[in-house]
Amino acid sequence: MKLKYLALSVCAAAFISCNSDKPVAADPTLKNILGDKFLVGVAINSEQAAGRDTSAVDVVRRHFNSIVAENCMKSEVIHPEKDRYDFSLADEFVKFGEDNGMFIIGHCLVWHSQLSPWFCVDTEGKNVSPEILKERLKSHIHTIVGRYKGRIKGWDVVNEAIEGDGSYRKSKFYEILGEEYIPLAFQYAHEADPEAELYYNDYGMHEPGRRDAVVRMVNSLKEKGLRIDAIGMQGHMGLDYPSIGEYETSLLAFASTGAKVMITEWDMSALPTVNRGANIADKVAFEKALNPYPEALPDSVSNLWNARMKSFMELFIKHSDVITRVTAWGVSDGDSWKNDWPVPGRREYPLLFDRNYQPKPFLKEILEPRVAKFYEFSYSIDNSMQRDSAANCQLSTVNCQLQNPVLPGCYPDPSICRVGNDYYMVNSSFAFYPGVPIWHSTDLTNWEQLGYVLNRPSQLPMYDGLRISGGIYAPDIKYNPHNGLFYLITTAVDGGGNFFVTTDDPKKGNWSDPTFLPEVGGIDPGFLFDEDGKAYIVNNDGPAGKPEYDGHRAIWIREFDWKNGCTVGKQKMIIDGGVDKTQHPSWIEGPHLYHINGTYYLMAAEGGTGPNHSEVIFTSASPFGPFKPCAINPILTQRGLPGDRPNPVTCVGHADLVETPDGDWYAVFLGVRPYRNGHDVMGRETFMLPVTWKENQPIILPEGDVITYTADRSCDPAPLWTANGLAKEAFFIRTPLVPRYNINSKGQLEMTASSTDLNQKRQPAAIGRWINNWTFTAQTGLDFVPQQPKDFAGIICFHDDNCYIRFGKTLDKDGKPVMLLETYSHGRLCSQAGSPLTRTDGKVYLKVEGDNAVNYTFCYSTSPKGNWTQVGEPVSADLISTQTAGGFTGTMVGIYATGNYTN
């Protein structure tokens, strides 16, 4: 998995070249760093265009290569009376752009607001006729565009014509001409300057109603043969709107029209949205609520604002193939139209530069990045350190040969299928990216990771705020012999619901983009491609009526039309509660439907994914039931066994079945290996057992039998990356909008330190792999020069945003270099230990070792020969165990870098 290096400023050659290991000289300005991706624009006012606001002019000239007129070309300014134009301010604006070699945008030709009062009415104030308005519109556009023909390169032709619900805005233009005024405006603009680019511009473009209406309108203009070059998405944002996902959905929808996309009028309010009616009776209280930060933003608000602005800038860079311009709506906070509105004295902080014309922290991260160079990262297991866990394998010889767990580490919810001699297996991946690890075997014993199914951001847009135990649950992989395609269906919990992807060959690593199935509710969908060419989806969801008890769930079925990629017909509930509803069975989930020798078998997990987890099975003569519990249930569980049994495997369930070419059957399922008092750090792992058939039903393990695991395998040092790219097992925390690393020709990984830290529920600069044994060693070499105390680079052991350990190089409060070890649990700093360094620069070596008692020891060395210095006391893994932290994942070990870019 080798990802193109698109780190914000590193790739743009601000300080580190993508093709060289040496620093290169470059002017760190926005237009130099981002100008090869899109135009970097700003709206300027008349004082700035005239050169009187010298501080703002310096910023504009230095950082921007495109300008747009803020107000001087709006109707009420440039055409104040029927027979009089005033071009004085517009001429100054255009001359400023030409003198500075900028791409000039005219804003705007047709807008219902700031419209000259005379434009649409007669001398008596009544609407003019359609013919008169057409003539006025044509004359207005021809005169203005014609004056600046060849000088202004692009025009916002029509502004804000669509309402949020998708209807046309009831402006004077619409009242008189209907929707015809829009194509007329584009026609007249093209006539006036056939070479100028023409745009439609609107706000709230993340709203589905407006999005769909704009797409229809643009397609209609194109069908009429009219020119429209780009759609302007006004970027007026707030701290709580829009979401990255909503904005990206609209961006891609607009790009699908064939028009380019421009981010226009970008600003983000840092103030809370206030209900005007809340304190309106108390004028003083109301105005105070609207102006909560009259002096400066609190750090907490500033940090949130910068994080969101950074995420959106990264989104724009990610889609620079379709975005041609990003324009800030003002130079500095002092210039914003949001100041003094809706009450005098209101002080806003929405723009890229502050009132002192200094770049905000998210811009400093682009302009002056800090880079951590990691020389290598290896992960290994020494078998001589293993605890005595394989001495008494209590199952069959076959079971011992399976080397359980077959997939050690956090690889839960396995699903398996076979085609010929090839077996394919997939697992849940939650909020980590890439998603859904996929494995291949020809003997059920030796498994090779092929990579990931969801290996493109377009397949897995998991962005800000998604909890680590959200994301991808319980994928199901099946082969459809009727069209030769493999299907994977899964649930994006908190992220879109149920969807499927397809491929003709899993070994190619090129699965389709998702097809979502909004009509399929709940979680854990699974496919059956039946012998007669029909197909079905089974899934977990709520019962038909009101749940009768906590954990009351049901299994549903509906037909799937694989020829058209959609469901058909109505869904039907086929399991209500579980095997015996009178016993209040909980959390029936993870269903798989099989058609074996004329009988339909429905297998599902019951009891929740904890110690009471089990697997149960039902039969029917029809896929739509009725389904009856088999005579022997459960067919797999470890509940009820002595808690003090040696080397326990717990929580087993969520199974899937596969038949070998010889007619033998096996089951894969999840299990947990607790090490002490129920604590585990590896999460749910994949186990496998042979299946026996008794009384015409499969049995994975007779109830009361004990599952054990083997531990007689070592792991030679495995790199997390090589010069050819990341290892197949490597992953990130959530989906990076832009990757923040580069692997140079020497195999060194250069990571741009992100202002996003591990506890912010975003996408930190971190790469890792799963810990898959209690005893292990992870080691790396690091070259990093911290500049402020919160700059930090090193090793992490990460369970989730609230529970993790970090060990690395930073500065102490006095600005002196130190190796620092910190542990966090439930969002609180639990412990801290440091060891001073003699110099800020220079290479250091770091390692973490897990021992037989499941404690983690952190050491560093300044010598490649490894004269190790331990920092702090060994850390108990209990701190980041599932029992302590909660959730469904194991522990990620890897590298990470964060930077403090505040002034």
Side-chain angles (χ1 to χ4, degrees), residues 777-856:
T777 300
Q779 183 171 327
T780 190
L782 170 68
D783 190 351
F784 177 62
V785 181
Q787 298 178 31
Q788 296 198 58
K790 291 184 180 179
D791 294 348
F792 194 110
I795 284 178
I796 55 169
C797 294
F798 178 89
H799 181 276
D800 63 24
D801 307 285
N802 296 313
C803 295
Y804 56 88
I805 306 168
R806 68 175 192 167
F807 174 58
K809 187 177 182 182
T810 185
L811 300 180
D812 63 19
K813 62 182 181 180
D814 298 319
K816 296 180 180 179
V818 62
M819 295 300 298
L820 186 65
L821 171 65
E822 293 183 333
T823 67
Y824 292 82
S825 181
H826 297 288
R828 296 180 298 103
L829 176 64
C830 293
S831 65
Q832 188 178 68
S835 179
L837 295 170
T838 58
R839 51 189 291 182
T840 305
D841 61 352
K843 184 177 179 182
V844 292
Y845 302 84
L846 303 84
K847 73 174 179 179
V848 53
E849 290 182 315
D851 62 22
N852 217 20
V854 199
N855 293 321
Y856 297 157

Side-chain angles (χ1 to χ4, degrees), residues 295-612:
E295 301 300 328
L297 288 181
D299 287 345
S300 59
V301 178
S302 177
N303 291 340
L304 175 59
W305 186 92
N306 278 280
R308 275 181 57 79
M309 288 291 280
K310 171 191 168 185
S311 292
F312 276 99
M313 180 64 91
E314 289 180 343
L315 179 72
F316 305 154
I317 292 171
K318 172 186 174 182
H319 292 294
S320 59
D321 57 328
V322 297
I323 292 176
T324 58
R325 175 168 60 100
V326 175
T327 292
W329 202 242
V331 179
S332 73
D333 286 344
D335 303 319
S336 174
W337 65 280
K338 291 176 179 261
N339 289 311
D340 298 314
W341 183 87
V343 293
R346 192 176 199 234
R347 189 177 177 94
E348 255 284 17
Y349 308 83
L351 292 169
L352 281 62
F353 293 83
D354 64 23
R355 283 174 168 77
N356 296 317
Y357 300 97
Q358 295 302 305
K360 300 282 184 71
F362 91 97
L363 274 193
K364 291 184 68 177
E365 187 172 350
I366 297 173
L367 299 170
E368 302 173 8
R370 283 139 212 190
V371 177
K373 182 181 291 185
F374 293 90
Y375 286 80
E376 67 279 316
F377 183 97
S378 65
Y379 175 90
S380 60
I381 298 171
D382 182 356
N383 186 48
S384 65
M385 298 172 64
Q386 298 285 350
R387 57 172 57 195
D388 182 19
S389 59
N392 56 347
C393 186
Q394 299 175 25
L395 298 176
S396 68
T397 303
V398 173
N399 177 43
C400 291
Q401 292 173 347
L402 286 174
Q403 295 265 305
N404 269 312
V406 292
L407 300 181
C410 183
Y411 298 108
D413 308 324
S415 177
I416 191 170
C417 74
R418 177 184 63 84
V419 177
N421 292 318
D422 293 302
Y423 298 89
Y424 298 97
M425 187 154 55
V426 293
N427 306 96
S428 296
S429 52
F430 305 106
F432 297 96
Y433 174 87
V436 186
I438 182 167
W439 311 77
H440 172 256
S441 176
T442 56
D443 59 9
L444 293 177
T445 300
N446 300 291
W447 292 90
E448 175 192 7
Q449 185 170 356
L450 298 176
Y452 294 86
V453 172
L454 306 176
N455 56 15
R456 303 187 302 276
S458 63
Q459 297 171 305
L460 195 62
M462 297 189 302
Y463 299 142
D464 298 355
L466 183 71
R467 59 195 174 99
I468 289 296
S469 285
I472 298 300
Y473 280 26
D476 174 75
I477 186 171
K478 291 295 180 286
Y479 176 71
N480 182 3
H482 307 293
N483 64 1
L485 292 180
F486 290 82
Y487 285 71
L488 183 134
I489 188 169
T490 187
T491 310
V493 176
D494 306 335
N498 294 305
F499 67 88
F500 71 89
V501 293
T502 64
T503 186
D504 62 350
D505 184 357
K507 296 175 185 176
K508 294 179 180 178
N510 185 25
W511 293 72
S512 68
D513 277 346
T515 298
F516 279 88
L517 302 168
E519 69 278 12
V520 179
I523 60 173
D524 298 1
F527 276 125
L528 170 64
F529 295 99
D530 213 347
E531 301 160 358
D532 60 2
K534 291 187 175 182
Y536 308 93
I537 295 175
V538 290
N539 64 284
N540 153 291
D541 207 346
K546 182 179 180 181
E548 299 174 20
Y549 53 88
D550 186 35
H552 181 192
R553 302 291 285 176
I555 303 299
W556 296 76
I557 190 170
R558 66 196 323 147
E559 192 170 346
F560 176 71
D561 178 1
W562 53 264
K563 293 180 180 178
N564 295 297
C566 61
T567 62
V568 293
K570 295 182 178 180
Q571 66 173 350
K572 180 182 179 182
M573 185 173 68
I574 52 177
I575 299 294
D576 183 9
V579 171
D580 184 355
K581 188 178 175 183
T582 65
Q583 300 300 309
H584 290 182
S586 63
W587 300 109
I588 190 80
E589 59 189 359
H592 293 286
L593 184 62
Y594 313 93
H595 192 184
I596 304 171
N597 296 330
T599 298
Y600 289 92
Y601 291 86
L602 179 68
M603 189 171 71
E606 191 179 281
T609 188
N612 290 324

Side-chain angles (χ1 to χ4, degrees), residues 74-86 109 112 114-129 132-141 143-144 172-173 176:
K74 291 170 180 173
S75 171
E76 66 178 6
V77 177
I78 203 170
H79 198 178
E81 298 175 7
K82 180 180 177 181
D83 298 319
R84 182 172 70 88
Y85 288 87
D86 183 350
L109 295 174
H112 68 279
Q114 293 182 255
L115 176 67
S116 293
W118 63 269
F119 203 102
C120 297
V121 297
D122 59 21
T123 56
E124 297 179 356
K126 296 180 180 179
N127 287 351
V128 297
S129 68
I132 291 176
L133 184 56
K134 287 180 184 179
E135 182 55 38
R136 289 181 178 181
L137 194 62
K138 181 176 182 179
S139 176
H140 177 81
I141 293 174
T143 300
I144 297 173
K172 286 288 186 182
F173 297 107
I176 300 170

Side-chain angles (χ1 to χ4, degrees), residues 260-280:
K260 292 296 184 179
V261 177
M262 292 181 167
I263 310 304
T264 63
E265 307 187 28
W266 189 29
D267 56 24
M268 182 179 292
S269 174
L271 306 186
T273 303
V274 177
N275 181 351
R276 289 184 64 91
N279 298 311
I280 197 68

